[in-house]
Amino acid sequence: MELICPAGTPAALHDAVAAGADAIYCGFNDETNARNFPGLNFSREEMRESIAHAHRYGTKVLVAINTFARAGNVELWQRAVDDAVEAEADALILADVGVMDYCAKTHPEQRLHVSVQAAAANPDSIRFYVDSFNAQRVVLPRVLSVQEIAAITKEVKVETEVFIFGGLCVMEEGRCSLSSYATGKSPNMDGVCSPAASIQYREQNGSLVSRLGEFTINKFAKGEAAAYPTLCKGRYQTDEGCGYLFEDPASLDATTMLPDLRAAGVAALKIEGRQRGRAYIERVVKTFKDVLAALDDGRPLPVDALRGLTEGQSTTTGAYKKTWR
């Protein structure tokens, strides 16, 4: 299984190459990619140089153009496609059907991957992307169990890719409007979910209170690990009491599920974290290279080695085991 690693900067890409990543995904520094945060991402020149560097070491680069184009203003997304092709990207990760159509017609030889943002979660939707745009891989949404992934992979004639570590989006990707409601910035169109400019922390009666926009998201006791405030991982007051309504603030770690994912026919394993620093990239890549080597050799898999890098110092297997509420 191919190991797909994130890079939010050229320096992080260099570190991922040195750590042994099979492929790296990254994006331009504009709203065409879903990690459009200040200080992150690549200029056109940086992208060309980074792809050339990766290719010198046999590493592939996948360019994420995975937000949805604005009606009447698609030129930015089309230009991103053209520039990524010119930079010799190994594949483009696309979500918008109009952008896919442009890519397929303008650059028919370019390898196309369906982004997780497209939320292609069943064989019929995946076949649509394959038949219409010659997609060669689909990144499956993080709402499927291993059994569902195996059934889908068996039915479709295209590679499947899944997330195995990092931030866990618990909603159907590409459909969530919670951050848009709270901050006015859309993860699906602006490329930002819970942007840092809208985050506040403050001390209140001995507790740490986190806010997103005008909304209080969580309150943490002294010494309790404080997670990043997103609406889907906030604590809510309901008739059943106060607690995490959607999902606990935890990171995905599917290390223990790798044998099952391999048996399910998954072609590629993806690490989330383009907004994370270089030390994160290097450590996570090296750890999963060791895990995959152990899997190939039939040795016990090293588990829990990355807990210190997770959200709230806790992990979950997410939908893979379907244990969530």
Side-chain angles (χ1 to χ4, degrees):
M1 295 181 286
E2 191 175 45
L3 185 62
I4 315 295
C5 306
T9 63
L13 182 142
H14 280 238
D15 288 341
V17 170
D22 297 317
I24 297 164
Y25 68 103
C26 50
F28 291 119
N29 54 359
D30 56 35
E31 61 194 84
T32 63
N33 92 79
R35 285 292 182 271
N36 182 27
F37 293 108
L40 282 186
N41 303 309
F42 294 66
S43 69
R44 266 48 179 182
E45 182 179 358
E46 288 172 335
M47 186 66 77
R48 287 191 295 271
E49 292 175 350
S50 296
I51 291 175
H53 172 79
H55 286 174
R56 282 195 291 271
Y57 292 89
T59 306
K60 299 175 185 175
V61 177
L62 322 177
V63 177
I65 307 171
N66 58 340
T67 51
F68 295 92
R70 297 183 182 277
N73 185 27
V74 300
E75 291 81 8
L76 179 64
W77 282 262
Q78 292 175 345
R79 190 163 63 249
V81 168
D82 295 339
D83 291 344
V85 172
E86 183 184 359
E88 300 186 1
D90 295 281
L92 306 188
I93 307 172
L94 307 179
D96 185 287
V97 292
V99 177
M100 290 187 200
D101 184 63
Y102 174 80
C103 180
K105 290 178 178 176
T106 310
H107 306 286
E109 300 304 314
Q110 177 63 53
R111 183 178 172 91
L112 188 157
H113 293 183
V114 180
S115 169
V116 70
Q117 288 291 100
N122 60 67
D124 287 337
S125 63
I126 293 170
R127 277 192 286 267
F128 166 76
Y129 292 112
V130 174
D131 295 342
S132 301
F133 312 117
N134 193 31
Q136 292 168 287
R137 180 181 293 178
V138 59
V139 186
L140 296 174
R142 286 162 280 191
V143 294
L144 299 168
S145 69
V146 174
Q147 291 75 19
E148 290 166 335
I149 291 170
I152 289 171
T153 301
K154 187 180 296 185
E155 282 196 48
V156 299
K157 295 179 179 180
V158 65
E159 297 173 359
T160 55
E161 177 177 316
V162 300
F163 280 90
I164 57 168
F165 187 83
L168 177 63
C169 182
V170 301
M171 295 303 182
E172 187 106 354
E173 282 98 340
R175 307 287 193 269
C176 181
S177 297
L178 288 177
S179 178
S180 307
Y181 179 78
T183 70
K185 290 289 187 180
S186 166
N188 307 318
M189 298 182 70
D190 299 298
V192 286
C193 175
S194 306
S198 299
I199 300 296
Q200 301 173 44
Y201 293 95
R202 71 167 186 266
E203 296 283 346
Q204 181 178 311
N205 300 325
S207 299
L208 181 65
V209 175
S210 63
R211 292 174 62 83
L212 177 66
E214 298 301 315
F215 297 90
T216 296
I217 303 299
N218 217 330
K219 183 168 66 174
F220 302 94
K222 187 174 182 179
E224 184 181 2
Y228 192 84
T230 59
L231 279 167
C232 59
K233 296 184 182 180
R235 260 188 277 231
Y236 288 81
Q237 185 67 48
T238 72
D239 292 340
E240 302 297 323
C242 183
Y244 294 107
L245 184 63
F246 296 109
E247 176 62 294
D248 296 61
S251 292
L252 175 68
D253 186 352
T255 300
T256 59
M257 309 300 298
L258 294 187
D260 297 326
L261 292 170
R262 183 172 65 176
V266 168
L269 308 171
K270 193 167 200 170
I271 297 168
E272 189 275 340
R274 281 192 282 158
Q275 72 280 22
R276 301 294 293 269
R278 295 172 61 185
Y280 170 94
I281 301 298
E282 181 180 19
R283 184 174 167 194
V284 173
V285 173
K286 286 183 175 179
T287 297
F288 273 103
K289 292 291 287 186
D290 290 342
V291 169
L292 291 174
L295 181 64
D296 289 340
D297 295 342
R299 294 182 280 113
L301 302 186
V303 298
D304 237 12
L306 298 171
R307 183 175 291 271
L309 300 178
T310 60
E311 184 177 358
Q313 306 294 298
S314 60
T315 62
T316 176
T317 54
Y320 290 133
K321 289 185 177 178
K322 282 283 173 76
T323 58
W324 51 10
R325 291 180 293 280

